[in-house]
């Protein structure tokens, strides 16, 4: 749909201009249906965005409010983060790295604690760039290190997990997911933390950070996790071993959805890598791309806690959403974003994801970035390393060493080159 067609469609919602400007958006049933992806360079009132200044002062803040209202909920402001060092090992990974275990708490809140694992290369000439990502099963699973604290919180049933809690048998079970030594060898630090430290990935109970803040915040679990990314970054920007201008957010699957949201909302993140993030993340909510891709209805039914109540109002009519996920990608502009996928993971809709990159490209061009470097998906196994990047390998839904090789190559171009 052209921008001019969208301008005509915008006439329908002119009655809501006054209230929308203040964040009081119309009910979902009153939004016009648009089968095509909404133009990110058209304001909610139908006016076109034609300048870089207008994007950053008007449209980007408006999109943030739209995503909070209709999809994620609004999160509370940042409290003061207090860091306590639990352990420092300067000879980790055979002397290659310094390993830090840090507990993050919030001033004035006797509540949840974020257990942060930070591994920094010893061989470097200055502060290191850092990959920061949320893990599925606790920091102790990311490395074969018997001294890393076992996470005390609720866990998914899995190898070594007993009664939904970690045991010694869970140590190192995700080391091939995180490939920390590969990152260290390339000169990058890695910071990781467990999602359950912020909010357990359970649809039956909310026992994380949400209950420690006022009722004015309707934030969903993914919004809470993204808020957690930012609290970890609050610490990282103070660590002298870390280059605060070179923070790379990475995540797989639901954690990839979170990494993209964190990157869109937190401009301290320099590069965003949502890996196989799928519906609600880096794939379209509208039915585009893979025929068997996950739908809004399916994700809201299976994981009702991930998004807010209003997002469920679009289960049957996702075409009424006043945005799609390319708008979340566009909010990262001009910062580089890499969408990475696997051939057999059609549930995550890789072809739909590439279409979103195409749709976000005009925003990147407007703000002075080269945007997407191709009109068609690259060959399998070949990294498209333009600011809007794409990578797809053979295989299934997972994060592995081949993915990390692409992540590191992408970061080398966009972070180390600066």
């Amino acid at each position: 749909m052209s921008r001019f067609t969208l301008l005509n469609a915008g006439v329908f919602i002119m009655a809501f201009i006054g209230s929308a400007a203040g964040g009081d958006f119309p009910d979902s049933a009153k939004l016009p249906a648009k089968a095509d992806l909404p133009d990110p360079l058209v304001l909610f009132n139908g006016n076109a965005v034609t300048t870089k200044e207008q994007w950053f002062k008007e449209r980007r803040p408006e999109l943030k409010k739209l995503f909070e209202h209709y999809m994620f909920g609004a999160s509370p402001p940042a409290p003061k983060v207090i860091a306590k060092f639990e352990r420092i090992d300067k000879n980790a990974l055979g002397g290659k790295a310094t390993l830090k275990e840090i507990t993050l708490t919030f001033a004035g809140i006797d509540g949840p604690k974020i257990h942060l694992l930070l591994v920094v290369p010893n061989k470097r000439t200055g502060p290191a760039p850092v990959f920061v990502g949320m893990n599925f099963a606790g920091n102790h699973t990311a490395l074969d290190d018997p001294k890393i604290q076992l996470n005390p919180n609720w866990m998914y049933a899995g190898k070594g997990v007993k009664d939904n809690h970690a045991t010694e048998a869970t140590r190192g079970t995700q080391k091939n997911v995180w490939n920390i030594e590969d990152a260290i060898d390339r000169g990058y630090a890695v910071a990781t933390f467990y999602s359950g430290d912020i909010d357990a990935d359970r649809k039956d109970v909310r026992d994380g950070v949400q209950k420690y803040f006022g009722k004015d915040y309707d934030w969903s679990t993914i919004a809470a996790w993204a808020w957690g990314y930012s609290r970890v970054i609050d610490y990282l920007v103070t660590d002298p071993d870390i280059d605060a201008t070179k923070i790379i957010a990475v995540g797989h699957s639901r954690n990839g959805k979170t990494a993209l949201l964190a990157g869109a909302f937190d401009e301290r993140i320099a590069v965003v890598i949502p890996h196989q993030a799928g519906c609600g993340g880096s794939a379209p909510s509208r039915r585009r791309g893979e025929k068997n891709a996950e739908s809004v209805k399916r994700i809201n039914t299976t994981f009702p806690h991930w998004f807010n109540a209003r997002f469920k109002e679009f289960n049957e009519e996702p075409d009424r959403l006043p945005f799609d996920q390319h708008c979340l990608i566009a909010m990262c502009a001009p910062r580089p974003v890499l969408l990475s996928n696997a051939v057999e993971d059609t549930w995550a809709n890789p072809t739909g994801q590439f279409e979103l990159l195409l749709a976000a490209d005009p925003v990147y061009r407007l703000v002075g970035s080269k945007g997407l470097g191709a009109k068609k998906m690259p060959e399998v196994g070949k990294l498209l390393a333009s600011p809007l990047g794409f990578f797809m390998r053979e295989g299934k839904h997972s994060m592995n060493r081949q993915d990390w090789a692409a992540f590191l190559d992408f970061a080398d171009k966009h972070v180390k080159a600066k």
Side-chain angles (χ1 to χ4, degrees):
M1 183 180 291
S2 71
R3 190 166 306 149
F4 300 102
T5 304
L6 279 171
L7 287 171
N8 292 332
V11 173
F12 178 89
I13 55 175
M14 288 297 286
F16 301 108
I17 293 175
S19 61
D24 184 15
F25 298 107
D27 292 340
S28 60
K30 295 181 179 179
L31 293 168
K34 299 171 183 160
D36 291 332
L37 296 174
D39 192 329
L41 293 176
V42 173
L43 289 160
F44 190 79
N45 65 11
N47 292 336
V49 176
T50 58
T51 67
K52 177 179 178 179
E53 292 72 23
Q54 193 179 10
W55 167 259
F56 284 111
K57 291 182 179 180
E58 296 182 48
R59 180 57 168 159
R60 189 179 182 278
E62 178 182 77
L63 282 170
K64 183 176 185 289
K65 291 180 181 178
L66 284 165
F67 274 107
E68 288 178 335
H69 185 80
Y70 289 114
M71 190 170 184
F72 295 108
S75 302
K80 180 181 178 181
V81 172
I82 301 169
K84 178 184 177 183
F85 288 82
E86 306 290 353
R87 181 170 74 100
I88 298 177
D89 179 0
K90 296 183 177 180
N91 293 296
L93 300 178
K96 290 182 181 181
T98 294
L99 181 153
K100 305 177 187 181
E101 288 190 81
I102 306 158
T103 299
L104 304 180
T105 55
F106 311 124
I109 300 173
D110 184 17
K113 301 176 180 179
I114 299 177
H115 302 94
L116 177 64
L117 176 67
L118 176 60
V119 188
V120 184
N122 286 336
K123 188 177 180 180
R124 52 189 170 83
T125 58
V130 60
F131 283 88
V132 55
M134 196 168 65
N135 62 64
F136 287 109
N139 302 336
H140 59 278
T141 66
L143 283 173
D144 279 327
D145 184 336
K147 294 183 179 180
I148 295 176
Q149 178 186 357
L150 287 180
N151 193 284
N153 290 316
W154 180 94
M155 299 276 172
Y156 274 120
K159 183 179 179 181
V161 175
K162 184 177 180 180
D163 297 327
N164 294 111
H165 284 84
T167 70
E168 290 293 327
T170 60
R171 291 192 180 279
T173 52
Q174 291 196 355
K175 64 180 181 180
N176 295 326
V177 172
W178 285 96
N179 296 282
I180 290 177
E181 192 163 0
D182 286 356
I184 294 295
D185 289 343
R186 295 277 289 267
Y188 293 88
V190 177
T192 187
F193 59 102
Y194 173 49
S195 59
D197 285 355
I198 300 157
D199 189 30
D201 193 8
R202 302 171 59 181
K203 61 184 178 182
D204 58 334
V205 62
R206 301 274 63 76
D207 59 356
V209 295
Q210 290 103 323
K211 69 181 183 180
Y212 292 95
F213 293 86
K215 295 181 180 180
D216 294 336
Y217 305 102
D218 61 343
W219 46 337
S220 61
T221 290
I222 286 181
W225 288 340
W227 183 90
Y229 262 83
S230 291
R231 303 294 71 78
V232 167
I233 292 171
D234 288 346
Y235 165 74
L236 291 175
V237 298
T238 70
D239 192 307
D241 290 333
I242 298 301
D243 188 333
T245 69
K246 298 179 178 179
I247 295 173
I248 307 153
V250 64
H252 173 228
S253 194
R254 64 202 66 184
N255 294 351
K257 303 180 203 300
T258 306
L260 179 56
L261 180 61
F265 282 18
D266 193 333
E267 295 182 81
R268 296 174 299 177
I269 294 172
V271 176
V272 188
I273 305 179
H275 176 59
Q276 298 177 337
C279 185
S282 53
S285 295
R286 287 161 171 80
R287 299 301 293 169
R288 314 177 72 83
E290 306 288 346
K291 292 182 179 179
N292 67 332
E294 188 173 28
S295 67
V296 169
K297 182 177 182 178
R298 177 63 181 270
I299 201 169
N300 275 332
T301 302
T302 308
F303 306 104
H305 56 298
W306 285 1
F307 305 99
N308 69 3
R310 287 194 187 94
F311 192 53
K312 296 165 182 61
E313 296 172 3
F314 298 93
N315 282 354
E316 303 296 341
E317 295 183 289
D319 289 358
R320 291 192 181 276
L321 282 165
F323 51 75
D324 213 309
Q325 296 306 100
H326 63 300
C327 294
L328 203 60
I329 295 170
M331 286 178 66
C332 300
R335 293 167 291 144
V337 175
L338 173 65
L339 305 188
S340 50
N341 288 278
V343 173
E344 296 178 54
D345 187 20
T346 55
W347 190 245
N349 198 357
T351 56
Q353 291 189 40
F354 191 80
E355 186 174 351
L356 293 189
L357 293 178
L358 288 167
D361 180 71
V363 176
Y364 273 71
R365 304 282 177 177
L366 181 68
V367 302
S369 169
K370 294 181 179 179
L372 184 61
K375 297 297 184 183
K376 295 182 179 180
M377 290 171 61
E379 298 175 10
V380 174
K382 183 177 180 180
L383 172 67
L384 176 62
S386 51
L388 285 172
F390 191 85
F391 176 72
M392 186 154 67
R393 58 161 168 81
E394 299 285 355
K396 300 182 179 182
H397 191 73
S398 62
M399 188 164 73
N400 61 30
R401 195 175 190 184
Q402 185 180 1
D403 298 317
W404 273 96
F407 302 164
L408 291 162
D409 287 346
F410 191 76
D412 279 352
K413 180 171 182 178
H414 296 289
V415 170
K416 281 195 173 180
K418 290 186 178 180

